[in-house]
Amino acid sequence: MRLEISHRILVMGPDLEKSTAHALRFLAHTPLVQYDSSRVIAAESCSGEDNRFWPWLEEGVTANRQVLAKLLADLRAAGTKDFQDLLRMPQGFQSKIIHTVAHILDGFFGIDSIFYSLPEDSHWLSDTLRNQIEASPEEFWLLKVVATLEALEPGNVSTLRSFEH
């Protein structure tokens, strides 16, 4: 069984080649996700000078917010209504959702990361970085990365959470 996951990764770099190397090096060494392979799709990647850059970046940030909203809705559906409920939360499905929410908010890259900013180690885009990109768009690249997990047992795939579209 093979699972493919797509990410949009923002990288600061002088060109597509160096930005690709940076992103692939990051993926090879990130501790939370270990893919069997990853590749950058050049035709779906661009610099900050490209007209596709901002719409693709905004789509990625919006998709991350939708992932977060879905996780919070799952928590509510499972009975977690407020912070006091955390005191009684059993280890299991709900606590794993909390864990994933914390990773997204803290900026830990994971299988659920649809957009990820390497300059800020974040799933969002700060106003400071937005201004920096607008001032020097040629120095930033938004890469489409497709990563694969190979040889998963069919039963194991269902335990992975991915909110990819």
Side-chain angles (χ1 to χ4, degrees):
M1 167 129 330
R2 177 181 180 168
L3 180 65
E4 281 196 349
I5 298 107
S6 296
H7 305 285
R8 289 250 183 231
I9 299 181
L10 178 65
V11 180
M12 188 172 185
D15 56 37
L16 179 60
E17 183 179 340
K18 287 189 171 83
S19 296
T20 293
H22 184 178
L24 295 179
R25 192 170 43 254
F26 167 76
L27 288 174
H29 294 98
T30 189
L32 296 178
V33 177
Q34 296 183 347
Y35 293 123
D36 292 304
S37 66
S38 341
R39 67 188 189 286
V40 170
I41 309 299
E44 295 182 51
S45 301
C46 64
S47 79
E49 296 175 301
D50 191 299
N51 290 335
R52 301 171 297 174
F53 181 89
W54 287 109
W56 282 349
L57 191 148
E58 296 299 336
E59 284 172 14
V61 170
T62 297
N64 283 345
R65 293 210 186 281
Q66 290 169 343
V67 166
L68 201 52
K70 169 81 169 85
L71 290 167
L72 294 175
D74 288 348
L75 273 178
R76 278 189 295 280
T80 304
K81 306 295 184 210
D82 59 40
F83 288 119
Q84 289 301 311
D85 293 334
L86 297 177
L87 295 171
R88 295 176 297 283
M89 181 180 288
Q91 184 177 353
F93 177 71
Q94 292 176 50
S95 64
K96 288 183 183 4
I97 292 173
I98 289 283
H99 185 88
T100 303
V101 166
H103 276 228
I104 291 170
L105 294 174
D106 278 350
F108 285 100
F109 179 84
I111 193 170
D112 297 313
S113 302
I114 296 170
F115 164 77
Y116 193 73
S117 169
L118 283 180
E120 294 187 308
D121 290 324
S122 175
H123 292 94
W124 321 118
L125 183 70
S126 70
D127 290 340
T128 301
L129 185 56
R130 177 180 292 277
N131 293 337
Q132 192 177 353
I133 295 168
E134 289 171 347
S136 302
E138 72 284 356
E139 294 179 10
F140 293 88
W141 290 81
L142 189 58
L143 308 177
K144 172 75 172 235
V145 177
V146 176
T148 58
L149 292 168
E150 304 281 350
L152 291 171
E153 295 296 322
N156 292 345
V157 172
S158 65
T159 64
L160 295 173
R161 293 183 60 100
S162 179
F163 294 94
E164 185 177 329
H165 303 291

